[in-house]
Amino acid sequence: MILKKVIGLLVCMGLICLDALAGSQAKPCAASVQTDTSRVLQTIKILGLRYTNFYTGSKLSTLDSNSLGALQQQSLAGVLANQSHIFIKSYGPGMLATAGFRGGNANHTAVIWNGFSLQNPISGQLDFSTIPSFLLEGIAIQYGSQAALFGSGNIGGTIHLQTQNNSKVSKLNVMLGMGSYGAKVAGIKYHLVGTNWQMQQKIFLDQTENNFAYKAVDALYPQVSAALKPSDLPTIRAENGQRNLLAWLQEFQFQRGLKHQLNVHTWLQKSDRHISPSVNAVNLHAQKIDETAKAMLEYKFKLQAYELQARYAFMLDGLSYKSDQLNETYSLSASSTAYLDQFYTKEKFQLQGSIMTLQTRAKLSESPDAWYQDKIALFGTFKYALFQHKLKQQLTLRQEWVNGAAIPLMPAYGVSYHLSPNIKLLGNIARSYRLPSFSDLYWPNMGNPNLQPEYGWNQEISITAEKYRHSKTIRGTISKNMVDASATLTWFNKNIHNWIIWLPAGGNLSKPMNVYQVWSRGAEFNWSFTLKSKKSSLEFGGEHDYTISTNQSSSLGNDASLFKQLIYTPRIKHQWHIHWQKGNYAVQFFNHYVGTRFVSSDHSNWLMPFSYSGLNVSKNWHGFNKQLKTQFFINNLFNQSYQVMVNQAMPLVNYQITLNLII
């Protein structure tokens, strides 16, 4: 109720501001600028992400506004599943979705917003289906460990969310969408720019019946019924899948000269989801409500080569759950984090020194005790360039204390070298660790307070080749065609000790234990090829993964999982796309292939590989100093029946229609 009142007030305020904006002549709207509709737009790079200068030797990829714009109605889970190497473990549309990064667990992937971690301290992970992509301006994916910079949980990789708009002009963006299974979405963004300040508001609403169609395929192998073709089975509608989501995000920036900057960020959100039962399971009418409030304050001072940043964040996360078999239970966690960062930058080197304090408190309705954790961390990084910046090296160290006890020193070293103007070699080695979550330690009747942190080492090496804006001379005339091409090949290696798994403890209870030593290794290959002319462009691209993640040792006797691939970790994953654009028209086709996933540790059961495709068609309309973009998106284009997780239904072919008005 409070959230609805706050958002209602902000909508009113926003309408007043927009009315003032409409009458203002101080700042022209983006659409008022004359647009050459025959020009092919260049890729927009993501700016403003913290610590991007301190990723030497690490593979870093970005999803620009074009990538996000094609998937505005989807969640962060949908964007990453379609646009990255990350394997999203989805339990169905709108249901729990977590990340499997380079053979790691869901709690091995860190999600960072403005330098602060978004993982729930109780579960130690983030549900990617609860993050609307409409709120995001960009995403940066850093591969490998950055525990030296961000601490616990940064084992597989880090996902950075960019919500702040870096545009220097005021504009209004209104999005309306609809889709299969009663989906209705609406969003509004308005960005106001003053002489020394800028402010933006974002409101997003998502409502759907989510009664998606699927085939009750017995996808678990080996099964006799697996011989049945999905086409021979009746089409079933999902039950109890309806969901509602309401989100509001506000950001304000004040700049005084070149020395002082103040940023304020606020994010309120409520997600009310009914949980569809598994295939052939009884409908228990389960319902889950997630509520979150995040507030951040940031001050920056810059004087020539020196920069000081002071940051504070307070985050509140609440969750309630109920079903026909379980009375309503709830959990509540609160964390407050403070950073003091100092940067010193000269021509050949950069230096950062930081201190962090973090206090976390949590409460579960089924437990009489409150849980707490206090952290203090000191970390710093030194980056040095040689040979006219062809060679760059970086050393990072982090020392952390948790409830007064010291965590082993976390070092990281990265290096990059330009073999030629178009070829670059990257490499890094880093130590990593993950503290047990509150649920691991204290869950009633099941938690294990004697758990040790997971820890290990990450190594990777990459080679990148790029060629841009190559023009050809034909009969003395320079051709208008240009070719952009790039390719990156990466090898990675990761060892994790004290891997935590939950084991049966009698009856319906389980208990977490430090059991495994896991070795993950593999290769990743990215490529893109774009042919551009004056009026059109044609792009081909792909991402290919080969991951081996095996249990190398176990504290259990006669463990059948030894030297076998971890469950729900595909060895092979491919995706490729074609994107054609001419004038105001654009068409994108993509295809995904996910290999076999074992669902039992002894490999006696598995899910077969699956493949699915999508098609996105869009057109831009210009007139009256406004821009309207229409999109028609078809997911699962060839109506495939598949399961990402065992007995969790995925929808057949479905569509989304989006209208996006920019003023």
Side-chain angles (χ1 to χ4, degrees), residues 515-518 551-555 559 562-563:
V515 176
Y516 291 164
Q517 176 186 338
V518 174
N551 171 24
Q552 296 300 112
S553 69
S554 173
S555 62
D559 193 337
L562 280 175
F563 311 113

Side-chain angles (χ1 to χ4, degrees), residues 55 58-60 86 99-112 117 119 128 140-147 150-160 432-433 458 460 492 494 496 524:
Y55 288 152
S58 294
K59 177 181 175 181
L60 182 71
I86 301 172
F101 211 135
R102 288 184 171 178
N105 275 342
N107 41 33
H108 290 170
T109 301
V111 182
I112 304 295
S117 175
Q119 279 94 314
F128 288 72
I141 303 171
Q142 183 272 318
Y143 294 79
S145 173
Q146 280 295 336
F150 298 107
S152 173
N154 292 262
I155 294 179
T158 308
I159 300 169
H160 298 267
S432 61
Y433 77 106
N458 288 246
E460 73 174 66
F492 66 89
K494 178 174 64 177
I496 302 296
E524 300 163 346

Side-chain angles (χ1 to χ4, degrees), residues 127-144:
D127 185 351
F128 288 72
S129 70
T130 63
I131 306 296
S133 66
F134 181 79
L135 301 181
L136 307 179
E137 301 295 332
I139 301 172
I141 303 171
Q142 183 272 318
Y143 294 79

Side-chain angles (χ1 to χ4, degrees), residues 363-661:
K363 183 72 173 66
L364 187 69
S365 60
E366 297 174 311
S367 175
D369 301 320
W371 308 330
Y372 72 94
Q373 188 178 83
D374 296 329
K375 291 184 185 180
I376 298 176
L378 297 173
F379 57 99
T381 185
F382 177 73
K383 181 178 178 180
Y384 192 72
L386 293 170
F387 310 122
Q388 297 180 336
H389 290 268
K390 290 183 178 180
L391 174 65
K392 296 179 181 179
Q393 300 180 80
Q394 175 187 325
L395 176 65
T396 306
L397 295 173
R398 182 187 188 94
Q399 181 61 65
E400 192 166 300
W401 293 265
V402 179
N403 294 335
I407 295 295
L409 186 68
M410 293 291 122
Y413 172 76
V415 60
S416 70
Y417 182 69
H418 282 270
L419 300 174
S420 72
N422 298 322
I423 301 177
K424 183 168 64 173
L425 188 67
L426 304 171
N428 74 81
I429 180 172
R431 195 173 189 181
S432 61
Y433 77 106
R434 182 184 78 87
L435 296 170
S437 66
F438 279 152
S439 62
D440 292 331
L441 294 169
Y442 309 122
W443 197 265
N445 302 318
M446 292 188 287
N448 183 359
N450 297 317
L451 284 174
Q452 298 298 309
E454 299 174 343
Y455 69 94
W457 288 90
N458 288 246
Q459 305 90 25
E460 73 174 66
I461 185 170
S462 300
I463 184 168
T464 298
E466 299 176 333
K467 185 67 175 178
Y468 294 114
R469 288 175 170 77
H470 172 73
S471 59
K472 180 183 288 187
T473 302
I474 302 177
R475 296 179 182 178
T477 303
I478 298 178
S479 170
K480 297 291 184 180
N481 294 335
M482 296 185 295
V483 174
D484 291 354
S486 65
T488 300
L489 180 61
T490 303
W491 295 269
F492 66 89
N493 185 75
K494 178 174 64 177
N495 295 92
I496 302 296
H497 300 264
N498 288 343
W499 189 285
I500 298 173
I501 64 171
W502 285 68
L503 299 172
N508 294 323
L509 301 180
S510 299
K511 194 176 187 67
M513 302 287 290
N514 296 109
V515 176
Y516 291 164
Q517 176 186 338
V518 174
W519 178 24
S520 298
R521 62 275 193 200
E524 300 163 346
F525 181 59
N526 305 62
W527 62 277
S528 67
F529 179 85
T530 306
L531 179 63
K532 299 181 180 180
S533 66
K534 184 178 180 180
K535 295 184 178 181
S536 66
S537 70
L538 181 62
E539 177 189 349
F540 302 88
E543 296 180 333
H544 312 274
D545 302 78
Y546 179 69
T547 303
I548 300 295
S549 188
T550 55
N551 171 24
Q552 296 300 112
S553 69
S554 173
S555 62
L556 305 176
N558 300 317
D559 193 337
S561 70
L562 280 175
F563 311 113
K564 291 183 172 63
Q565 185 84 348
L566 296 186
I567 62 173
Y568 288 114
T569 302
R571 290 194 181 101
I572 296 174
K573 183 174 177 286
H574 301 293
Q575 59 181 10
W576 61 275
H577 68 270
I578 302 174
H579 185 213
W580 173 80
Q581 180 176 336
K582 184 174 182 179
N584 291 317
Y585 293 90
V587 178
Q588 183 180 26
F589 172 82
F590 64 84
N591 176 265
H592 295 268
Y593 173 86
V594 176
T596 300
R597 288 132 294 135
F598 294 101
V599 299
S600 58
S601 58
D602 62 356
H603 288 193
S604 60
N605 298 100
W606 63 90
L607 291 173
M608 290 295 286
F610 68 87
S611 177
Y612 67 93
S613 304
L615 181 68
N616 183 44
V617 180
S618 64
K619 185 183 188 306
N620 287 320
W621 311 75
H622 298 272
F624 303 101
N625 294 328
K626 299 175 179 62
Q627 177 182 339
L628 176 66
K629 183 175 183 179
T630 58
Q631 290 186 110
F632 182 64
F633 182 83
I634 305 176
N635 193 37
N636 197 2
L637 181 63
F638 300 113
N639 210 30
Q640 299 294 306
S641 294
Y642 67 96
Q643 292 178 5
V644 180
M645 310 294 286
V646 66
N647 287 330
Q648 300 297 321
M650 299 299 289
L652 299 174
V653 61
N654 56 92
Y655 72 91
Q656 294 174 337
I657 299 175
T658 307
L659 302 178
N660 202 323
L661 176 65

Side-chain angles (χ1 to χ4, degrees), residues 2-104:
I2 295 176
L3 183 60
K4 290 182 179 179
K5 290 182 178 179
V6 171
I7 291 182
L9 177 61
L10 289 166
V11 171
C12 295
M13 292 172 61
L15 294 175
I16 294 172
C17 292
L18 290 172
D19 184 63
L21 175 62
S24 173
Q25 302 298 323
K27 292 286 182 179
C29 293
S32 67
V33 181
Q34 294 296 321
T35 303
D36 182 0
T37 59
S38 67
R39 182 176 300 168
V40 178
L41 297 177
Q42 300 297 317
T43 299
I44 299 174
K45 298 294 183 181
I46 298 173
L47 304 175
L49 293 174
R50 188 176 304 281
Y51 301 119
T52 51
N53 290 328
F54 295 98
Y55 288 152
T56 303
S58 294
K59 177 181 175 181
L60 182 71
S61 63
T62 59
L63 302 180
D64 57 29
S65 59
N66 292 329
S67 301
L68 293 174
L71 301 168
Q72 292 182 87
Q73 292 195 46
Q74 298 196 20
S75 65
L76 177 60
V79 172
L80 294 176
N82 287 302
Q83 303 283 351
S84 76
H85 284 285
I86 301 172
F87 175 54
I88 297 297
K89 300 176 182 178
S90 173
Y91 285 77
M95 305 302 167
L96 176 66
T98 59
F101 211 135
R102 288 184 171 178

